[in-house]
Every structure is written in C-alpha cells, then in structure tokens.
Amino acid sequence: MSHHDSDYRWMATNDLMAALQSDTFHLEDVNEKKVVAALIKLLTDSNGEVQNVAVKWCAARDLAGVSVRPTAIVDTSVFASSFAPLVKKIHESQLQEVLNQLCKLLTDNREEMRDIAGIGLKTVVTEIPSDSFITSKVVGDLVPKLLQQFQKNDKNPQLDVIDILSEVLSRFGQSLAQGSDGPALQKAINDALFPLLNHSRASARKRATGAIGHLVSNLPDDLFDDLVENILSELTQRTGSSDYDKLRTYIGCLATLSRHNAHRFGQHLDKALPLVFELVQSSDDELRENCLHALDSFVLRCPTEMTPYIAKVTAMSLTYIKHDPNFQYEEDDEPMEADTEGDDGEEEDAEEEEYEEDYSDEDDVSWKVRKASSKLLASIIGTRSDVLQDLLNMVAPVLIERFKEREESVRVDILNTFEVLVRQTGVAAGVEKIADPVSVVPGPKRRKGAVAHDEPSSPRELLRQLVPRLSKALAKELKGKSILTRQAGFGLLREVVRVLNGGLDAQLGLFIPSIELSLSNLNAGHLTKASTNSNLKIEILEFLRLLFTTHEPELFHRYLSKLIPPIMSAAEDKFYKITSEALAVTVELVKIIRPIPYDEESKQYAVQPLASPQFREYLQSIYDTTLKRLKAADVDLEVKEHSIVALSGLISQAGDLLPSDQITTVVIPLLIERLKNELTRLTTVRVLKSIADSPLFENQASTGAIDLTPILPEAMSELTSYLRKSHRQLRVASLQCLETLIRRYGKHLASGTFSSILSEVRPLLNDPDLHILPLAMAVICIVVYSGPSAEVLPIIKGDVQPQLVKMILDSPHLVASGTGLDALLKVWQAIVRTGEAQLFSQSVDMLIAPVSSASGIASSKQAFAVIAQSLATICLNYPGDASPTITNFMAEIEKKDASESMCYVSLLTLGDIGRSMDLSAKHPNVDQTVLALFASSSEEIKQAAAFALGNIALGNLKRFMPVVLQTVREGGKRRYLVLVSLKEIITRFSHHEASTESTAILESFAPELWQLLFQNTEETAEEATRNAIAECLGKLSLSQPEKFLPDLRSRLSSPNAHARATVVTAIRYTFTEHTQHDDFDTLLRPLILDFLRLVKDSDLNVRRVSLTTLNSAAHNKPHLILGSLNELLPLLYDETVVKTELIHIVEMGPFKHQVDDGLDTRKAAFECMYTLLETCLSRIDVFGFLQRVMNGLRDPSNDIKILSHLMLQRLSQLSPTAVAQKLDDLVEPLKLTLLAKSKSNAVKQEVEKTNELVRSTARTTLVLQKISEVGVSPRFVEYLKEVQGPQSAVQDIMAAEAQNGLLSVSVGGVMPMDLS
C-alpha cells in the first residue's frame, strides 16, 4: 500500500477492502496499526484511482444523504466510507487515531480534503456500535475536537461539522450526558450551536436547529430552561420586525424542541404560544406557515398543555385555510339538483373549463399557509375524538367550502383531511371495516342501505346532515382535470359510504358523469395514458362495489346505461388489478339489475321479473364479458378466481334469464374443469355452494333455472376426495358445499353415494378443529335425513354412533358448548327420528355404558355433561320409549348405593328433560328426591342436584316454586344450592324461554322472592352465595323494573359492604342479557350513575365489582354511560394506580412473599379501559387515556402489561396519529419487557408467563412498527433496528411473531377481544 507504483497501491487496497468484509478476518495488533496508518496516508494519495478502489464495495446508502460541495470529487468523497468496515475491526487506540487524523483534515486548506474528512467522520460515527464499551470515551474525545472547529470558523462554520455533531448527539447523546464531563460538554455544545440560529446562511440555521433537537433529549433541566428562555427572548425582540428569516428559524426551533422533549417543553408552552399566535398574523406567508407547523407539533406532542388552546388553534386554522389574497373565488349559492346527471348544457361546461384554468403566480406562496392549516386541522381531528361533534359542526362546513381550492396539492390535502374526519366519525360510532365481498361467495341476500338509528346529535348523524353539501361541492371537483383530486375525492366518498352504511341515496346522480368519465381513459375529454389512470380506476371500482352493497337496487336502475359499459370495459383491461376489481363490482352489479329481496315475515326470497326488458341485454353483456375472462388461459390467478365468482353470482341471481343451452353446455362443464384444477378448486367449491343455495332453485319447474343434477356424480366425487386433503379452507368449503348439495339434490343422488360420503366424513369426527367438526356432523345429519334408510342406517349403527360416543369421551371440550354441542344434538335427534325404536335403545345403551363403568366424576365431568344433554335430546325426540328410560334415571337417583357417575348423569339428564316436560305427573316426589341429594358428600352431586331442581321446577312452576322458596327460607347448608336452583329458574324466564302462564306465576312470587333474597344477602359472608343472589336479583328486576329498580337504588347507601356489592353486581347481570329490554333501559338510564359511583367506595371489594359492572355496561349497553363518562373516567383512572398501602409482606416459613391486595381491582380497571376503547372512544381524551396505558406498561403485574399491550395495538388502529407521537416514550418499557428473562430457579409456570409476556411485547412492537417514522419517532426506529438485528437476543422471537402476524392477516386479522 506504500509502493511507489500506483497500480500496486491500487491492488493492495482492493485486496484489503475485500478481506475486511469477511467476518472471520481479524487484524493482529502490530498489523492493525500499520493498516490504519496506510489507509490514512491514502487520504492524500495523488492517484484518484487508488482512492476509488477502496470503496467499490461500499453500499450506495453511504452516499445517499451526503451533500458535497460542487468542487468536490465524488469518487474522492466516497473514499471516506472505506472506514466503515475498518471501524468494526480495530481497537480503541487505533479508532482514536483515525478520528484525530480526520479532525485534522477538517482544517485543511483544500476543499476536497475537508469534504473527505467530513464524510469519513460521519461514516465512523455511524458505524461505532452504540452499546460498545469504548463509546463514551471515543465520543468524549471527539466532541471537543468538533467544538474547536466552531471556534476556528465561528463566522463561517463548516456544515459537515454541524452534521457530524448532530449525528453524535443523536446516537450517543445519553452516553455523553452520563460522562464525567457530560454537563460541561453539553453546555459547550449549546453555546456553540445557539449562535448559529442567527447565522446569515439558511443551511447553517437549519442544521443547527436539527442538532439542538438531538441535544435537548438529554440536556439538564437548567440548560433546557435557559435555552427555551433564550429562544423566546430572541422571538420577543424580533416580533414586529421584518427579519422574517430569523423569526422562521426560532419558530422552527420551538417546534423541534417540542418534538424531541415534549414533556419539558410543555412547561413553557404558556409563554411560547402568545408569541406564536402573534407571529402567525404577520404579513409573511412563510412565517405563517412555520407558525402553523409549530402549532401542529404542539398539538401532537404536548396534548395536555394544548387542550385549553384547541378551540383557538382550530379557529385560526379555519381562518388561514381560506387565506388566498391573490385569487377571487366565485360564489356559488345556487342549489344543485340532487339527481342531476351532469348534462345541464353548455353554460355549466364553460364555467367548469374556466374554473379549471388554475391561477398561476410563482411569487405567490400563500398555498403553503393553506396546506399547513389543512395539516394542522388533520392533526386536531385525528387526536381529539372527545370534541368530534364540535369539529363536525365547525370544521366540516369550512373544509367542504374549500374543496374548490385552486392549488392541486392543497386541494388533495383538504380532501384527505375531511377523510380523516369521516374516518374518526366511523371509529367513534364503532363502524368496523366492511369485509371484502369477494373473499366469500356472495349469496342472494343483500345488506340494505343506511339503517342506522343514531341520536340527532351523534357524530354519524351530524355527518349524514352534511352529505348534501359535501356531494354538491365534491361533484364539481370530480369533473376536473386533476387525477389526484379525483382519486382523493372517490376515496373520501368511499369512506363516507362505509361510515354511514350508505347515505348517498339522493345524491347518486351527481357522481355518475365523473364515474363514467374516469373509468374511461379520458381526462376532461382528452385521451390519457392508461398507466396514469390505473389507481383512479381501482379507487372508483372499490367505491362502486361498496356503493352497490349499501344502497337499494332501485336507485341505480336509471343509471345502468351509463355505468355498465365502463365497468365492462374495465373488466377487459390489460392490468389485472383493474380487471379483478371490475369483476368484483360485477358481482354486486348483478344484484342491482336483478334484486331478490328477502321477506322477513314469510322467511322466503321473492323472485321477481326484471324492472325493464333492457336489463336482459345488460345481463347478457355481463355474461359474455365474464365468460370471456374465465375461458382465457393466460390471465392472472386473481382474475380467474374473480371471474369464477362473478359468473356464479350471475347464475345464482339471474340464471333463469340466461340462455339455458349455453349454461348447460359451456358454463357447467367449465366449472367442473375449474373444480378439478388445483389453483381454482377452492373458489369453485365455494361458488358451487352459492349456486345451489340460490333461491332460483327452490322451485326449478317454475323458474326454469339450471339443473345441477347431471354434474352431481362428478362433483360429489371431487368434493368427498377433498375431505382427505390437508388444506383446511378446502375441507371447510367442501363440507359446506356437500351439505347444501345433499339438501337440494338428495333425492337425485345415485345409490352408494351416501355410504361413500359417510365413509369420508366419519374420520373427521376425530378432527380437533372446532370449525370442521360441527360441519362434519351437519353433513352426517343431512345424510341421515336424505339418504335411504337401508343404505344409511347400518353405517350409522355400526360406525357413526360408536364414533360419536368415542368423540364425547376423548374430546368433550369440542362438543361441550356452542356450535359443536348444537351439531351433536342435531345428529342424535336425526338418528332417533329416523331409526326409531331400534336406534333409540342402542343410542341410550351406548351413552350410558361408559358412565356405568366409570370410577368417578372428576376425570370425566365435562364428558358426562355432554352425555346427559345427548340422552335428554334422545328422550325428548322419541317420547314413545322415553318414559321407561326416565323411570330408570329416577331409580338411579333414588338408590342409596347408586354409582356416583350414574347419579350425576341421571340428575343432569332429568334436569334437561324436566325443563321441557312436567315430571311430577308420573314422579310426584321428584323434588324431595332431588333435595335429599343436597346432603350428598360429593360436591359434583350437589351441583347437579341444584341444576336438576331448578330445571325440573320449570316444568311445573306452580307445583315446585313454593318448595324452592321454603328451602331458601330454611337457609342452612342448603341455602347456596337452592339459590343456584332459583338462578336456573329466573335465568330461563329472563331469556323468554317460558310460557305466558309460567311467567305470570313467577311474577306472582316476585315480591316475596325479592325480600327473601335481600334477607339472605345480609346473612351470608360467602361471596359465591352473594353472586348467586345478585344474579337472581338482576334477572328478577327485568320483570318489573319500575318497582325493583328504585329499591335497588335505595340500598346503595346500605352500611353493609356486602349488600352494596350485591346491588351493583345485580345491575351487572342485567347488562349481560342478549334479549332486548327497552323499558328497563329507559328506567335505568337516569339511575346508572348512582350505581357506578361505587367505583370510589371505601370498600375494596365494592370498588372491584363496581369496575366489573362498568366494564359490562361499556361492552353491552354503552349508550347508558356515555353521558356519565366525564365523571366516571377520573374515578376509573385512579384505580389503575399501584397503591402501596394495599401491598403487604406475608411470611411463609423462611420466605417472604409480597401480596398486592389491589391487583384484582387494578386489573379490573384496565380491562374496563380496554372495553371503553372499543365502544366509547368518541367521549375519551385519547392522550389522557394513552398516558394511563403507558403507565400500565410499567406495572409490576404481567397480566396488566399484556392488557396494556392489547390496548396499544388497538389504539394504533383507532388513533394512529396520537400513538405515533408517543412511540419514543414507549421504547424504554417495551425494551425492558422484551428482554426480560425468568429467574434461574423459576418454576415452569413462571417461565411460561414470562415467555408469553415477551411474545406479547414482540407483537406490540411489530404492530407499532406500522405507524413509526424516522422523522417522528427516531428512538423507536433505532429500537426496532436493535431488536430485529442479527445480534439481538430476541431476533428469533420477533421473526416468529412477524410470521404469525402475516398468517393472521391472511385469514382476516384478529377481532377485538371481549373483556367484559
């Protein structure tokens, strides 16, 4: 490298650079010094090629942000980047030598050498590991040398030096502050940078502002306060002067301080804001722009301190969004007809063309003020959901008026700002995104138009009132030349339709001309390139798809002649995304042309003729276009799938209006071909089900619809074979399709088909999938009903019944409740109804056999409960042989030496049977027999007896209710059990599962029962008993709310804490009812706050149950508490704080254990916060809420940390702008939790909890990554690089959770959890 021949130096340097890239290459101490010296010497080499070769391997990113002076040689400047791999290989002493030599070159007389040194120093600073032990020393030595450069060139500092210092402060500011000379160095840096804010060069001022921003992140409080005071002093002195450049710099510096240290800057906001408000009124538009940008930063970064000023800032934004002194807009006060089609004559066209001639003035920068105002409004709207109604009343009309903005970029910003307002309205109303209709095969049932029942002052209703004005203003802009404007406009319309679930009924005609124009390759009548129009077309097609699904079909009939040609043209577009979207629109378009409404009263679809003969031509056009795309062999898979769905939708909706011969000879064979294709078989299976489900097939003789009978053998063969595949979605779709085809065409299936279906479905009874198992049982059920008994019943008897029993015993959790249990009971019902006596007795014997041979209940309790429900279903569906079986069950519970398991199952079975029939007719002493079992030594038998007594009483309430009440009065050990029985009785009535006569009987006992329940409340200290009483009281109060609610309220002041807890718990049980009780809600609304105020009760348990009640109210009936949240939220937030007075130490032998009595209450508070986030966001201050969530990240409880993670994930979707401002503050708690490790002596359960917490943190980090930006949250971006980098200890966890996230998105994402 020191050879006199430049070629040798060139080759040696090239070889060294190649070696340095290898991870296995290491330098010895002796050679390391020589290599460093040689490379430093090459900085001044006379041969440029020698310098160039050292950097051939450098990544282009090292130059991307480099700014060199025009005289610098790019190849020479790149050379400095060769130190990047060297920094990682050499020791501290040599690294220090490199920095010293580069600092010396900063003072070189040659400009190109100064450039080389500057870029080299940037590279070295960037490559020094942030966690290296040498960092603090290297940085501590480098900073003074950089400061010396300011002293030497105080009047004309090098911009590279400022950039290097800024990079050092950004990466190592904390290390610098923690050093022994930290405060002194920070003061020196501050003293060097602050004067540069007054420098004559704009580039120096800009760089100094950025460096100061990095400095203040770790600046001591006194220096920070001095810096802010100095900036405010400079602003005060210059206020009223014409030194706008410096004023803009100081205002920009305030914004920078708020972004980098919002908490401390917020303390000075009251002094800074008056200056900003004064300067924003200056005559300089660029200064106004800077002031508005500063206010934008204050709103986002200092939300609490800015709250009193939000109204003033909003009013200011509304003023300056109209600031256009050099252009006079024409007033247009004439009303526009709602259903005009845009062809009002040449006069309107002339006005439109005149308007489109944008005013142009290069010196006019007022557009920057309007653009900044729009951005400021968007920030306020996106983070202030608590004032959403005020924003809709004040801001929305002004934004609509400004749709006429002459500057395209500002106009698009205004449209986007209004879209943010609409989206926030949807979030406040709880409107989730509408599922993609193409992802599931569309059925004939349509979702109707806007059916919301909002209050007059609700945000969504206020938005609905704005639709006419919005439509009129937006329709004008959608006819203009600007493609970006039209794209943003249709995006806004799509959001409006989504949030209102329609809402454009009277305004459709305004948008038809612009839709027709934009779907063609025309721009205001002139041909444009298709590539520039693709995004616009896709946006319009997505809008049309949503529009068709949310409005009544009749509204579109008059516009079909204008809509269908461009949609069909788009379906033949060369770009596959446009084609796919157009075909998706076609699915909904067919439902517009030929709607098939569903009659709720008759529970039938009404197939009607076409509204116009011309519509048949439209259907034929759609058919021809769709078939053409389906037949094409060279199209994208997405287009193939959408064409299959579109064709199936056409057949399902209008198959009787298409040429039958074409469908029989072309379409059906084509579908079978696609069914056999591995790529398209899943979609085809779904569309076959859709076709078979069509109402047109209910009466084939009259409608003339196609007949699928000819393809049934081939289709059935393929579908049954797919049940063996590992593809889950394919198996699910195949089972659903089989069930539909058998139900429709069971009589037409060939002999042997049913047996083959059963042989393929039977193995699925062992499938642990909770979705597949019920579908498999549904297929078995329909086979039993539809197939010939001689073929089906032997298989059921020999194979299916034993398999069902085995499934119950081996996997009872799969069929213990929900769809699994419902499907199982339907199978038993089908078996006994079809097989009659023979299969009845066999079913009973097979179910009882494992019970009679069982040694106990504990191991098979869940399975026995399923067996009992199965036995009850069998008896109720074949009453002929049921009586002897019921007698046998009675005998089992009367035996003194009966098997415990048989007694348990007999009790549960009798309870399920007694609920539907009166057992006292043949067994008059059944109540006493069951009551005797309350004294059993087995807890399971006691619980089963309580269940049985309550349900048997439902069969003859007049006979059994006095017995139950008498047992309650007697109290004693049987009190809790009889209360459980009573709960069973009252719960069934609250669900309206009893007759009118039985309801009247219960109401006659209600007053006596009410007093009896409260008497027991005060007498018992057992929480389980009080909970049973509370549930009885809550469900009972639903029967006579006008009488019982005031009594409940009066007991809130009871001195007995147990009584207060029972009352508030009783109210919670009224919220969990799924049936409607409007009268009860009306009476409860004015009283609800009195119950929930117990959140501040002196008793800890009362506070906990009150929080649980608030959570339930927020989840089930949020409308009852919306008006009270201003009072309830502070009380709720107070319960999220760790209270040291509730923490105490428990000694357990030699060990001491810390117990937090407030943990359950605190956890209930966080669960309640999560629920409020889902249902009451419009009444919540997001930033105040977010602060409590951030506090939860530091809670000692892992459960609360995970709850906080869930809330962060949800907030990032509901209010991403607010969360993005706090990402840097989240880094420390997230990192601490992500890197958490279990103790060496931790038990398995503790290890699993820690691992779940780490995974939860990783998921939260990945979700927050989607809203992070380097400019907004640099610390969070750095944290992401650290935890996802190859050296990270949690890299594998991050990668695994990222993969799981992709999988969850592919199946539709994760819905919010119910924590009520």
Side-chain angles (χ1 to χ4, degrees), residues 771-797:
H771 192 41
I772 289 179
L773 183 60
L775 292 174
M777 289 191 284
V779 172
I780 292 175
C781 191
I782 198 68
V783 165
V784 171
Y785 282 128
S786 304
S789 300
E791 179 184 352
V792 172
L793 292 183
I795 300 175
I796 295 295
K797 182 178 179 181

mmCIF file of all heavy atoms in Angstrom, residues 771-797:
data_model
loop_
_atom_site.group_PDB
_atom_site.id
_atom_site.type_symbol
_atom_site.label_atom_id
_atom_site.label_comp_id
_atom_site.label_asym_id
_atom_site.label_seq_id
_atom_site.Cartn_x
_atom_site.Cartn_y
_atom_site.Cartn_z
ATOM 1 N N HIS A 771 -64.070 -25.785 13.922
ATOM 2 C CA HIS A 771 -64.918 -25.347 12.805
ATOM 3 C C HIS A 771 -65.289 -26.519 11.910
ATOM 4 O O HIS A 771 -66.412 -26.594 11.398
ATOM 5 C CB HIS A 771 -64.186 -24.280 12.000
ATOM 6 C CG HIS A 771 -65.052 -23.565 11.013
ATOM 7 N ND1 HIS A 771 -66.350 -23.175 11.286
ATOM 8 C CD2 HIS A 771 -64.823 -23.164 9.731
ATOM 9 C CE1 HIS A 771 -66.877 -22.571 10.234
ATOM 10 N NE2 HIS A 771 -65.970 -22.563 9.279
ATOM 11 N N ILE A 772 -64.374 -27.423 11.719
ATOM 12 C CA ILE A 772 -64.615 -28.558 10.824
ATOM 13 C C ILE A 772 -65.564 -29.576 11.461
ATOM 14 O O ILE A 772 -66.450 -30.118 10.793
ATOM 15 C CB ILE A 772 -63.271 -29.216 10.436
ATOM 16 C CG1 ILE A 772 -62.505 -28.300 9.485
ATOM 17 C CG2 ILE A 772 -63.493 -30.589 9.808
ATOM 18 C CD1 ILE A 772 -61.155 -28.836 9.068
ATOM 19 N N LEU A 773 -65.394 -29.846 12.751
ATOM 20 C CA LEU A 773 -66.198 -30.883 13.413
ATOM 21 C C LEU A 773 -67.700 -30.615 13.328
ATOM 22 O O LEU A 773 -68.468 -31.506 12.940
ATOM 23 C CB LEU A 773 -65.742 -31.017 14.865
ATOM 24 C CG LEU A 773 -66.442 -32.110 15.684
ATOM 25 C CD1 LEU A 773 -66.221 -33.477 15.059
ATOM 26 C CD2 LEU A 773 -65.939 -32.095 17.125
ATOM 27 N N PRO A 774 -68.201 -29.421 13.645
ATOM 28 C CA PRO A 774 -69.652 -29.185 13.501
ATOM 29 C C PRO A 774 -70.132 -29.330 12.062
ATOM 30 O O PRO A 774 -71.246 -29.823 11.831
ATOM 31 C CB PRO A 774 -69.824 -27.738 13.993
ATOM 32 C CG PRO A 774 -68.655 -27.468 14.863
ATOM 33 C CD PRO A 774 -67.530 -28.259 14.257
ATOM 34 N N LEU A 775 -69.304 -28.933 11.097
ATOM 35 C CA LEU A 775 -69.700 -29.086 9.694
ATOM 36 C C LEU A 775 -69.800 -30.559 9.316
ATOM 37 O O LEU A 775 -70.708 -30.956 8.572
ATOM 38 C CB LEU A 775 -68.688 -28.373 8.795
ATOM 39 C CG LEU A 775 -68.649 -26.844 8.890
ATOM 40 C CD1 LEU A 775 -67.508 -26.293 8.056
ATOM 41 C CD2 LEU A 775 -69.969 -26.246 8.428
ATOM 42 N N ALA A 776 -68.850 -31.346 9.813
ATOM 43 C CA ALA A 776 -68.900 -32.789 9.528
ATOM 44 C C ALA A 776 -70.171 -33.405 10.106
ATOM 45 O O ALA A 776 -70.841 -34.230 9.458
ATOM 46 C CB ALA A 776 -67.655 -33.472 10.103
ATOM 47 N N MET A 777 -70.546 -33.014 11.321
ATOM 48 C CA MET A 777 -71.768 -33.549 11.929
ATOM 49 C C MET A 777 -73.009 -33.039 11.199
ATOM 50 O O MET A 777 -74.016 -33.753 11.117
ATOM 51 C CB MET A 777 -71.810 -33.175 13.412
ATOM 52 C CG MET A 777 -70.787 -33.935 14.242
ATOM 53 S SD MET A 777 -71.000 -33.764 16.033
ATOM 54 C CE MET A 777 -70.344 -32.104 16.279
ATOM 55 N N ALA A 778 -72.943 -31.827 10.653
ATOM 56 C CA ALA A 778 -74.081 -31.322 9.875
ATOM 57 C C ALA A 778 -74.276 -32.141 8.613
ATOM 58 O O ALA A 778 -75.420 -32.420 8.201
ATOM 59 C CB ALA A 778 -73.851 -29.850 9.528
ATOM 60 N N VAL A 779 -73.180 -32.553 7.980
ATOM 61 C CA VAL A 779 -73.281 -33.405 6.788
ATOM 62 C C VAL A 779 -73.876 -34.760 7.159
ATOM 63 O O VAL A 779 -74.738 -35.302 6.449
ATOM 64 C CB VAL A 779 -71.888 -33.575 6.129
ATOM 65 C CG1 VAL A 779 -71.951 -34.614 5.019
ATOM 66 C CG2 VAL A 779 -71.397 -32.240 5.574
ATOM 67 N N ILE A 780 -73.429 -35.340 8.276
ATOM 68 C CA ILE A 780 -73.988 -36.621 8.729
ATOM 69 C C ILE A 780 -75.487 -36.481 8.968
ATOM 70 O O ILE A 780 -76.289 -37.362 8.592
ATOM 71 C CB ILE A 780 -73.278 -37.088 10.016
ATOM 72 C CG1 ILE A 780 -71.830 -37.466 9.699
ATOM 73 C CG2 ILE A 780 -74.017 -38.257 10.655
ATOM 74 C CD1 ILE A 780 -71.015 -37.819 10.925
ATOM 75 N N CYS A 781 -75.867 -35.371 9.572
ATOM 76 C CA CYS A 781 -77.277 -35.140 9.886
ATOM 77 C C CYS A 781 -78.123 -35.103 8.608
ATOM 78 O O CYS A 781 -79.173 -35.756 8.514
ATOM 79 C CB CYS A 781 -77.395 -33.829 10.644
ATOM 80 S SG CYS A 781 -78.998 -33.537 11.387
ATOM 81 N N ILE A 782 -77.676 -34.369 7.602
ATOM 82 C CA ILE A 782 -78.456 -34.245 6.374
ATOM 83 C C ILE A 782 -78.437 -35.550 5.585
ATOM 84 O O ILE A 782 -79.404 -35.883 4.896
ATOM 85 C CB ILE A 782 -77.930 -33.066 5.511
ATOM 86 C CG1 ILE A 782 -78.967 -32.646 4.483
ATOM 87 C CG2 ILE A 782 -76.612 -33.403 4.841
ATOM 88 C CD1 ILE A 782 -80.188 -32.014 5.064
ATOM 89 N N VAL A 783 -77.357 -36.327 5.717
ATOM 90 C CA VAL A 783 -77.306 -37.645 5.061
ATOM 91 C C VAL A 783 -78.334 -38.582 5.686
ATOM 92 O O VAL A 783 -79.034 -39.332 4.996
ATOM 93 C CB VAL A 783 -75.889 -38.241 5.157
ATOM 94 C CG1 VAL A 783 -75.904 -39.731 4.814
ATOM 95 C CG2 VAL A 783 -74.933 -37.500 4.230
ATOM 96 N N VAL A 784 -78.447 -38.529 7.006
ATOM 97 C CA VAL A 784 -79.418 -39.390 7.692
ATOM 98 C C VAL A 784 -80.840 -39.067 7.259
ATOM 99 O O VAL A 784 -81.667 -39.963 7.036
ATOM 100 C CB VAL A 784 -79.269 -39.232 9.221
ATOM 101 C CG1 VAL A 784 -80.414 -39.944 9.953
ATOM 102 C CG2 VAL A 784 -77.929 -39.785 9.684
ATOM 103 N N TYR A 785 -81.149 -37.787 7.122
ATOM 104 C CA TYR A 785 -82.495 -37.382 6.722
ATOM 105 C C TYR A 785 -82.766 -37.670 5.239
ATOM 106 O O TYR A 785 -83.885 -38.030 4.861
ATOM 107 C CB TYR A 785 -82.705 -35.890 6.986
ATOM 108 C CG TYR A 785 -82.985 -35.550 8.423
ATOM 109 C CD1 TYR A 785 -82.237 -34.574 9.082
ATOM 110 C CD2 TYR A 785 -84.001 -36.184 9.128
ATOM 111 C CE1 TYR A 785 -82.501 -34.242 10.404
ATOM 112 C CE2 TYR A 785 -84.258 -35.860 10.444
ATOM 113 C CZ TYR A 785 -83.512 -34.893 11.082
ATOM 114 O OH TYR A 785 -83.777 -34.589 12.397
ATOM 115 N N SER A 786 -81.737 -37.484 4.385
ATOM 116 C CA SER A 786 -81.961 -37.545 2.933
ATOM 117 C C SER A 786 -81.714 -38.915 2.331
ATOM 118 O O SER A 786 -82.300 -39.255 1.297
ATOM 119 C CB SER A 786 -81.053 -36.516 2.221
ATOM 120 O OG SER A 786 -81.264 -35.219 2.727
ATOM 121 N N GLY A 787 -80.831 -39.715 2.917
ATOM 122 C CA GLY A 787 -80.457 -40.994 2.317
ATOM 123 C C GLY A 787 -81.455 -42.092 2.589
ATOM 124 O O GLY A 787 -82.235 -42.014 3.537
ATOM 125 N N PRO A 788 -81.423 -43.119 1.776
ATOM 126 C CA PRO A 788 -82.301 -44.277 2.008
ATOM 127 C C PRO A 788 -81.902 -44.998 3.298
ATOM 128 O O PRO A 788 -80.719 -45.236 3.541
ATOM 129 C CB PRO A 788 -82.064 -45.150 0.768
ATOM 130 C CG PRO A 788 -80.745 -44.705 0.223
ATOM 131 C CD PRO A 788 -80.602 -43.271 0.559
ATOM 132 N N SER A 789 -82.869 -45.322 4.114
ATOM 133 C CA SER A 789 -82.597 -45.940 5.410
ATOM 134 C C SER A 789 -81.807 -47.222 5.292
ATOM 135 O O SER A 789 -80.919 -47.502 6.109
ATOM 136 C CB SER A 789 -83.911 -46.201 6.153
ATOM 137 O OG SER A 789 -84.612 -44.995 6.366
ATOM 138 N N ALA A 790 -82.130 -47.998 4.264
ATOM 139 C CA ALA A 790 -81.443 -49.284 4.116
ATOM 140 C C ALA A 790 -79.949 -49.100 3.887
ATOM 141 O O ALA A 790 -79.147 -49.947 4.279
ATOM 142 C CB ALA A 790 -82.057 -50.063 2.946
ATOM 143 N N GLU A 791 -79.566 -47.999 3.274
ATOM 144 C CA GLU A 791 -78.149 -47.754 2.987
ATOM 145 C C GLU A 791 -77.465 -47.021 4.128
ATOM 146 O O GLU A 791 -76.305 -47.315 4.463
ATOM 147 C CB GLU A 791 -78.020 -46.928 1.700
ATOM 148 C CG GLU A 791 -76.578 -46.600 1.323
ATOM 149 C CD GLU A 791 -76.493 -45.709 0.091
ATOM 150 O OE1 GLU A 791 -77.545 -45.477 -0.557
ATOM 151 O OE2 GLU A 791 -75.376 -45.239 -0.223
ATOM 152 N N VAL A 792 -78.178 -46.097 4.750
ATOM 153 C CA VAL A 792 -77.539 -45.187 5.706
ATOM 154 C C VAL A 792 -77.532 -45.751 7.118
ATOM 155 O O VAL A 792 -76.503 -45.696 7.814
ATOM 156 C CB VAL A 792 -78.249 -43.813 5.675
ATOM 157 C CG1 VAL A 792 -77.733 -42.919 6.794
ATOM 158 C CG2 VAL A 792 -78.043 -43.147 4.323
ATOM 159 N N LEU A 793 -78.671 -46.285 7.591
ATOM 160 C CA LEU A 793 -78.779 -46.656 8.993
ATOM 161 C C LEU A 793 -77.782 -47.725 9.444
ATOM 162 O O LEU A 793 -77.258 -47.640 10.565
ATOM 163 C CB LEU A 793 -80.213 -47.104 9.299
ATOM 164 C CG LEU A 793 -81.266 -45.989 9.236
ATOM 165 C CD1 LEU A 793 -82.633 -46.522 9.632
ATOM 166 C CD2 LEU A 793 -80.877 -44.826 10.139
ATOM 167 N N PRO A 794 -77.480 -48.750 8.635
ATOM 168 C CA PRO A 794 -76.458 -49.715 9.085
ATOM 169 C C PRO A 794 -75.106 -49.057 9.341
ATOM 170 O O PRO A 794 -74.394 -49.434 10.279
ATOM 171 C CB PRO A 794 -76.390 -50.703 7.909
ATOM 172 C CG PRO A 794 -77.723 -50.608 7.261
ATOM 173 C CD PRO A 794 -78.126 -49.187 7.383
ATOM 174 N N ILE A 795 -74.755 -48.073 8.505
ATOM 175 C CA ILE A 795 -73.471 -47.381 8.709
ATOM 176 C C ILE A 795 -73.537 -46.536 9.973
ATOM 177 O O ILE A 795 -72.586 -46.472 10.748
ATOM 178 C CB ILE A 795 -73.137 -46.503 7.483
ATOM 179 C CG1 ILE A 795 -73.043 -47.366 6.222
ATOM 180 C CG2 ILE A 795 -71.849 -45.732 7.707
ATOM 181 C CD1 ILE A 795 -72.836 -46.581 4.947
ATOM 182 N N ILE A 796 -74.683 -45.889 10.185
ATOM 183 C CA ILE A 796 -74.852 -45.084 11.398
ATOM 184 C C ILE A 796 -74.739 -45.981 12.630
ATOM 185 O O ILE A 796 -74.059 -45.648 13.609
ATOM 186 C CB ILE A 796 -76.220 -44.367 11.385
ATOM 187 C CG1 ILE A 796 -76.290 -43.345 10.238
ATOM 188 C CG2 ILE A 796 -76.489 -43.697 12.724
ATOM 189 C CD1 ILE A 796 -75.332 -42.191 10.378
ATOM 190 N N LYS A 797 -75.401 -47.096 12.571
ATOM 191 C CA LYS A 797 -75.425 -48.008 13.713
ATOM 192 C C LYS A 797 -74.057 -48.631 13.975
ATOM 193 O O LYS A 797 -73.602 -48.710 15.120
ATOM 194 C CB LYS A 797 -76.462 -49.105 13.464
ATOM 195 C CG LYS A 797 -76.623 -50.099 14.602
ATOM 196 C CD LYS A 797 -77.705 -51.117 14.281
ATOM 197 C CE LYS A 797 -77.867 -52.136 15.406
ATOM 198 N NZ LYS A 797 -78.899 -53.137 15.091
#
